[in-house]
């Protein structure tokens, strides 16, 4: 049997679009509060933007340079782009249908409405005209299109308007078109004050409606025959020849300046935009009709993300919760507990604060000599970063491995690196050609009368971002286990120094041992099954694309291993194929929190090996990144994490089951909402 045959694989790009379709379906779930349902619309829109900016742009690059290598499922680049075109158009159409037909009427029932210009009364019209005059006109610059003003370079994902004009301007020019660019400082939805709002508690107007209604004020004496919103999505991936770069930070800064003006990949226009205008825009943007998306509403839905925050209706939002700090950690402190046992945290149900405390307390502890830290995504006001700066000011040896190439966080990370350097932190950018994606902290402390050096470490599946720790599900392990801490120390040595590959005791790490150890663990389960022993594994990932591991899973399935895969997003493995993957089940859990943790469980003839990791089973993670995979060794914590994995397998309401043809079906649409695994964990672990 040829397990590399394309018929056994699903397409990566279509799998990612299927994930966004599942996200969109949350907007139809009546058990989710209304303002949270509409938030899923915006999340889907934002995800699609990135899909076009990175994935579609990358495929277009491949096509342009004649890269004919087929995808895992055998499709050529051209065929994949055609399939994307069909699926993406269907997804966008469904997105606006749900927004217009399902959610807007329900919002109106809750006294939250969007008023079209045709429904403005005189008082509202006057207020909005004044708003346009004083808040909008001063910050926008109309650009007429003539020989002296060619079609402008349009900023990526910005809202624009193309106006069809008639008449002569002050200089006697007979102009036909003009472009308006809307600065990001202008809110895309405007709430009318209560005194002019009308009969609803919250009355909103789209910025696009205001522009269309009052655009003539920008062109006095001229007739406007059309004002049409549009938005252009551009290639936003940064292509750096790292081996030829002497200063990565400087090179990234230079590339970032051009990110907003990469090649166009998608044009969005209003549904009623005339064909003449559409063809004009397509020609100016060098796009084809396939890359055109007509939308029935605002062209930038994700910029409406502020709506739930503008409406003070707790009854229409998820109930609040307080992430819990384990009782003994709250009472005794991180370091005292770590002197006796490991600390395992499951975010966001349990607080991220102990991770912050590990570094913050080290910063002010006179017995701490050194702190080492990886930083991938941290947020603009990171308590971890502030603690590192305080530690450097206190004279401690502080090393930060800052990954400048974290996509769409490059500018923030350059600024972060500069702040750390100015504080006296030793900043390292990692290894050329390998993104540092591992999540590690290491504290070196002298203890007792003998001043013995003791190490404390944090290893995580998620980033050092306190905000993400409230909306992403991730695991954190804090430990003083000597072997684990020695391994973390060696990984830092590899990142900051030079030398051969270190032999580690507990950790598996990419790009060196992770892939081969994963293959060995999967193959071991197959051997147990062939020997007539119980064999099973549960693998939780964000994405599965690596062909060698998929083939290993197929071989294990053929051998009789029971395999449960919990994969949030991309999955190129096709389950349920007779004689190949009939022992493999794949589910995707979509809920209030973004499932982000990576966990690998192998039954191993009853020994039950359990690992958490920063790595998905993708080529980039296994071969082109620095990743860490760490064992859960403490018996009670291992039992707890395994039980949480098995709880996910019982979820019926948030769990989508992958079919062999690549389609997903909700496990049980009629299951009670209280069977949602995220809600159960929230009730168990949080206050």
């Amino acid at each position: 049997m040829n397990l590399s045959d394309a018929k056994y694989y699903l397409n990566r790009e279509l799998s990612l679009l299927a994930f966004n379709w599942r996200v969109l379906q949350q907007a139809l779930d009546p058990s989710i509060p209304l303002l949270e349902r509409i938030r899923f619309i915006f999340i889907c829109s934002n995800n699609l933007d990135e899909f076009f900016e990175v994935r579609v742009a990358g495929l277009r690059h491949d096509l342009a340079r004649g890269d004919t290598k087929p995808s895992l499922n055998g499709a050529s680049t051209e065929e994949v782009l055609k399939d994307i075109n069909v699926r993406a158009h269907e997804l966008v159409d469904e997105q606006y249908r749900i927004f217009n037909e399902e959610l807007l009427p329900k919002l109106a029932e809750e006294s939250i409405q969007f008023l079209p210009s045709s429904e403005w009364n005189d008082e509202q019209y006057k207020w909005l005209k004044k708003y346009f005059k004083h808040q909008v006109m001063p910050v926008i610059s109309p650009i007429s299109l003539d020989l002296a003003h060619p079609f402008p370079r349009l900023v990526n994902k910005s809202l624009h308007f193309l106006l069809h004009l008639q008449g002569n301007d002050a200089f006697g020019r007979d102009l036909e078109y003009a472009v308006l660019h809307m600065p990001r400082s202008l809110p895309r939805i405007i709430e009318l004050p209560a005194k002019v709002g009308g009969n609803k508690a919250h009355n909103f107007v789209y910025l696009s409606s205001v522009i269309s209604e009052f655009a003539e004020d920008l062109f006095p004496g001229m007739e406007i025959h059309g004002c049409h919103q549009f938005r252009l999505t551009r290639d936003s991936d940064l292509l750096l020849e790292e081996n030829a770069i002497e200063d990565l930070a400087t090179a990234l800064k230079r590339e970032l300046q051009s990110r907003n003006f990469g090649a166009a990949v998608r044009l969005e226009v209003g549904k009623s935009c005339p064909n003449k205008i559409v063809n004009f825009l397509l020609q100016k943007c060098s796009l084809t009709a396939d890359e055109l998306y007509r939308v029935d509403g605002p062209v930038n839905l994700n910029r409406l993300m502020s709506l739930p925050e503008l409406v003070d209706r707790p009854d229409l939002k998820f109930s609040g919760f307080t992430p819990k700090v384990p009782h003994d950690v709250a009472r005794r402190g991180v370091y005292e507990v770590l002197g006796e046992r490991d600390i395992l945290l499951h975010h966001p149900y349990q607080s991220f604060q102990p991770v912050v405390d590990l570094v913050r307390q080290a910063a002010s502890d006179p017995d701490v000599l050194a702190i080492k830290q990886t930083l991938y995504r941290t947020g603009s006001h990171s308590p971890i970063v502030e603690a590192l700066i305080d530690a450097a000011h206190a004279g401690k040896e502080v090393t930060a491995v800052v990954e400048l190439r974290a996509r769409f966080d490059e500018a923030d990370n350059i600024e972060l690196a500069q702040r750390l350097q100015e504080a006296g932190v030793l900043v390292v950018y990692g290894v050329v050609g390998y993104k540092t994606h591992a999540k590690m902290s290491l504290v070196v402390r002298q203890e007792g009368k003998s001043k013995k050096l003791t190490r404390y470490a944090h290893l995580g599946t998620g980033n050092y971002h306190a905000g993400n720790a409230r909306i992403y599900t991730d695991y954190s392990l804090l430990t003083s286990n000597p072997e684990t801490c020695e391994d973390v120390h060696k990984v830092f040595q590899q990142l900051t120094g030079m030398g051969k590959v270190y032999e580690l005791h507990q950790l598996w790490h990419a790009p060196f041992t992770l892939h081969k150890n994963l293959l060995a663990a999967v193959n071991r389960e197959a051997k147990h099954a062939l020997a007539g022993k119980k064999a099973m594994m549960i693998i939780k990932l964000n994405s599965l694309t690596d062909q060698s591991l998929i083939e290993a899973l197929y071989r294990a399935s053929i051998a009789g291993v029971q395999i449960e895969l919990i994969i949030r997003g991309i999955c190129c493995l096709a389950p349920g194929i007779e004689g190949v993957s009939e022992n493999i089940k794949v589910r995707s859990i979509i809920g209030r929190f973004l499932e982000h943790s990576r966990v690998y469980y192998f039954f191993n003839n009853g020994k039950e090996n359990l690992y958490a990791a920063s790595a998905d089973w993708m080529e980039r993670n296994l071969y082109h990144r620095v990743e860490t995979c760490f064992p859960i060794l403490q018996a009670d914590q291992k039992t707890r994490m395994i039980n949480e994995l098995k709880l996910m397998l019982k979820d019926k309401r948030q769990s989508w089951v992958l079919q062999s043809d690549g389609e997903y079906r909700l496990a049980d649409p009629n299951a009670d909402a209280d069977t949602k695994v995220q809600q159960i964990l929230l009730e168990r672990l949080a206050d």
Side-chain angles (χ1 to χ4, degrees), residues 1-9 72-73 547 551 554:
M1 183 178 295
N2 178 16
L3 294 179
S4 63
D5 194 312
K7 66 184 179 183
Y8 298 136
Y9 295 86
L72 277 179
N73 72 326
Q547 184 172 358
E551 287 186 20
Y554 284 156

Side-chain angles (χ1 to χ4, degrees), residues 129-423:
K129 187 175 181 66
K130 185 177 180 181
Y131 179 92
F132 177 80
K133 179 180 179 181
H134 294 288
Q135 301 296 325
V136 179
M137 283 185 66
V139 297
I140 60 175
S141 300
I143 302 172
S144 58
L145 302 182
D146 59 16
L147 292 177
H149 301 86
F151 199 79
R153 295 179 70 193
L154 304 176
V155 176
N156 181 40
K157 297 187 299 184
S158 286
L159 175 62
H160 297 88
F161 292 86
L162 183 70
L163 290 91
H164 188 196
L165 310 171
Q166 186 176 9
N168 296 323
D169 71 354
F171 297 95
R173 296 175 300 178
D174 184 8
L175 302 175
E176 187 175 6
Y177 294 116
V179 171
L180 292 179
H181 166 246
M182 294 297 108
R184 286 188 163 90
S185 59
L186 289 175
R188 277 17 181 190
I189 52 176
I190 303 155
E191 185 169 14
L192 293 168
K195 62 181 180 180
V196 299
N199 60 352
K200 301 290 186 182
H202 296 276
N203 295 275
F204 295 97
V205 174
Y206 298 129
L207 175 64
S208 55
S209 297
V210 174
I211 298 296
S212 296
E213 188 66 30
F214 302 115
E216 61 184 15
D217 291 357
L218 297 168
F219 304 91
M222 302 190 71
E223 294 182 22
I224 296 181
H225 293 286
C227 180
H228 308 287
Q229 59 170 329
F230 71 96
R231 190 173 76 134
L232 196 64
T233 309
R234 296 184 178 276
D235 178 353
S236 295
D237 217 4
L238 300 180
L239 302 176
L240 294 172
E241 293 293 336
E242 294 182 25
N243 291 322
I245 292 173
E246 293 185 7
D247 186 332
L248 180 60
T250 301
L252 270 174
K253 285 181 182 178
R254 188 166 56 246
E255 283 294 310
L256 286 169
Q257 293 173 359
S258 61
R259 167 174 271 173
N260 282 328
F261 301 103
V265 294
R266 175 181 61 164
L267 175 66
E268 296 167 278
V269 301
K271 185 178 181 180
S272 61
C273 188
N275 288 333
K276 179 182 178 180
I277 302 296
V278 167
N279 292 332
F280 174 80
L281 288 171
L282 287 173
Q283 185 265 327
K284 292 298 182 182
C285 299
S286 301
L287 293 173
T288 68
D290 284 346
E291 291 142 341
L292 171 70
Y293 288 76
R294 289 184 177 270
V295 300
D296 188 11
V299 296
N300 50 347
L301 275 180
N302 56 318
R303 290 299 304 277
L304 308 187
M305 186 70 84
S306 60
L307 177 64
E309 311 309 322
L310 294 173
V311 178
D312 186 18
R313 288 286 301 275
D315 58 312
L316 300 182
K317 302 176 184 179
F318 287 128
S319 57
F321 70 98
T322 302
K324 187 176 182 180
V325 177
H327 178 71
D328 57 342
V329 177
R331 181 171 55 87
R332 299 165 60 200
V334 172
Y335 284 94
E336 186 174 343
V337 173
L338 286 179
E340 300 174 1
R341 66 173 183 84
D342 293 348
I343 299 170
L344 179 67
L345 303 171
H346 195 175
H347 314 301
Y349 317 108
Q350 292 178 295
S351 175
F352 191 67
Q353 191 59 43
V355 180
V356 175
D357 289 345
L358 182 79
V359 182
R360 180 178 286 166
Q361 291 175 22
S364 58
D365 186 342
D367 292 324
V368 169
L369 304 180
I371 304 172
K372 299 183 180 184
Q373 178 82 49
T374 61
L375 297 171
Y376 191 78
R377 302 188 197 277
T378 64
S380 55
H381 302 288
S382 168
I384 294 281
V385 172
E386 297 304 321
L388 294 175
I389 290 172
D390 291 344
H393 288 162
K396 305 187 187 306
E397 181 72 14
V398 182
T399 303
V401 181
V402 180
E403 182 47 72
L404 296 182
R405 296 155 297 178
R407 185 178 288 137
F408 299 122
D409 278 346
E410 298 96 342
D412 289 342
N413 284 1
I414 290 171
E415 182 180 347
L416 163 66
Q418 291 173 338
R419 282 190 63 209
L420 291 170
Q421 287 172 328
E422 290 168 0

Side-chain angles (χ1 to χ4, degrees), residues 14 17 73 75 78-88:
L14 299 185
L17 283 176
N73 72 326
E78 190 171 14
E79 289 171 333
V80 173
L81 283 169
K82 288 180 179 179
D83 288 339
I84 287 173
N85 176 50
V86 173
R87 297 289 184 90

